[in-house]
Amino acid sequence: MTPLDQDSYRLSVAPMLDWTDRHFRYLVRLISRRVRLYTEMVVDQSILLGNRPKLLDFSPEEHPVALQLGGSVPEKLAEAARIGEAWGYDEINLNLGCPSERVQGGGFGACLMLEPDLVAESMAAMRQAVKIPVTAKHRLGVDEVEDYRYLARFVEKLAGVGVGVFIVHARKAYLKGLSPAENRTIPPLRYDWVYRLKQDFPHLTIVLNGGVRTLEEVQAHLAKVDGVMLGRAVYEDPFVLEPADRRLFGEAHATTRLEVAQAMLRYAEAQLEQGTPLWAMARHMLNLFKGQPRGRLWRRVLSERACRRGAGVEVLQEALERVAASGEVAPELAHHAGL
Ligand SMILES: Cc1cc2nc3c(=O)[nH]c(=O)nc-3n(C[C@H](O)[C@H](O)[C@H](O)COP(=O)(O)O)c2cc1C
């Protein structure tokens, strides 16, 4: 296994089905060069049998980027991990936290927390198949299993087969009775359990996830754990990450919403030529000007026009012009953005 660059786990964007596809990840990468990115969960079987370019292709700019897998059959997971590594991913992550009924039906996701032996066997097989890090993303527990000692034994077991990075969604999951969305809000957050894992396993990389909204909160957690993963906060306002490279990684990188929009326009142009519909990209850009004076106008232009059949970059251009015309954008920036 390649040595872990622990620093690269300080900040990451969570795997989110339907949200963190390659286009959203590209947008995020324009805002932070250092944040670690995760794909949506991809089921191992789909990789083995499905359209691999569609499932796995990503832009070189996205590195570091991890492929999140769903599955529970060690041989299939190992083969899917091998394919992911060959495709160029920097990490393979196993989903042990999703409580959706569909995922439970497949026998994977959060319900695997009840089967530590099978998870250990799967992760050992994945580790054997690849050189890149194989990591786990899990909850504090499921259903009536809510016991720090159980969690610690689970982590210890996986560490025993060489897993070195644990991304812990700091609440348990209910397998019955709550929708996936409710399972992200109703079970209470227990950050103290995640801090305790780091104390008990100081040699492991422990990443805290769940309910973190701001970089200030990230910085506070980083005093206790190695990394923080943000999900909804980034999707709802991607620019929350803008100061991250400077504050968390000591890098000078800075950008503006307008520069990001302009770069997305160039990206969209290239993607449209390959047959990607504009909406596939524009839908992830709706929140780019969140909280700005013309943010709603931007959103409206995109949501009304970018989903139309045959829509092209002129829609993004118009939305940009409208935002720039508000006067909130300095003239030299507007010029820089080619407006
Ligand atoms: C729309 C959506 C889709 C998600 N899909 C996945 C997924 O594919 N794999 C996964 O491990 N977690 C998934 N999650 C859970 C997130 O990765 C994360 O653990 C959760 O949202 C808590 O973090 P947050 O409070 O920062 O959003 C999803 C969350 C959302 C909101």
Side-chain angles (χ1 to χ4, degrees), residues 67-192:
L67 170 64
Q68 188 189 56
L69 294 179
S72 60
V73 178
E75 300 75 37
K76 286 187 186 173
L77 280 168
E79 182 59 10
R82 198 191 55 69
I83 294 166
E85 180 181 52
W87 219 266
Y89 283 96
D90 301 296
E91 169 192 336
I92 305 292
N93 176 263
L94 182 61
N95 182 337
L96 303 166
C98 178
S100 86
E101 284 195 1
R102 195 176 60 83
V103 164
Q104 278 184 60
F108 51 94
C111 60
L112 283 176
M113 283 201 77
L114 300 171
E115 297 195 60
D117 291 334
L118 177 59
V119 177
E121 194 192 330
S122 300
M123 297 199 81
M126 291 159 81
R127 284 199 73 239
Q128 279 221 319
V130 300
K131 292 193 175 60
I132 53 178
V134 173
T135 66
K137 179 168 181 284
H138 56 93
R139 299 264 185 154
L140 301 184
V142 286
D143 290 340
E144 71 282 358
V145 178
E146 192 174 14
D147 172 5
Y148 177 79
R149 282 166 307 174
Y150 184 90
L151 174 68
R153 277 202 303 275
F154 184 79
V155 166
E156 195 170 27
K157 176 140 221 149
L158 301 190
V161 298
V163 178
V165 180
F166 294 81
I167 301 163
V168 191
H169 184 173
R171 50 164 65 92
K172 74 170 182 172
Y174 288 97
L175 297 178
K176 292 255 169 322
L178 291 189
S179 70
E182 288 168 336
N183 254 312
R184 292 191 285 267
T185 49
I186 292 178
L189 287 160
R190 300 219 46 182
Y191 294 135
D192 53 321

Side-chain angles (χ1 to χ4, degrees), residues 14-19 39-41 68 93 95-98 137 139 169 171 184 209-212 229-233:
M16 290 181 283
L17 264 179
D18 196 42
W19 287 6
T39 66
E40 310 164 87
M41 180 187 73
Q68 188 189 56
N93 176 263
N95 182 337
L96 303 166
C98 178
K137 179 168 181 284
R139 299 264 185 154
H169 184 173
R171 50 164 65 92
R184 292 191 285 267
N209 167 244
V212 184
M229 173 179 268
L230 296 175
R232 288 162 291 185

Side-chain angles (χ1 to χ4, degrees), residues 278-306:
L278 184 68
W279 184 241
M281 295 154 286
R283 72 191 186 99
H284 297 307
M285 298 167 65
L286 294 174
N287 295 331
L288 182 56
F289 287 87
K290 177 87 173 255
Q292 301 300 295
R294 289 272 174 127
R296 285 212 194 126
L297 183 59
W298 162 266
R299 209 185 149 89
R300 199 169 72 228
V301 174
L302 292 195
S303 48
E304 281 174 6
R305 297 192 36 208

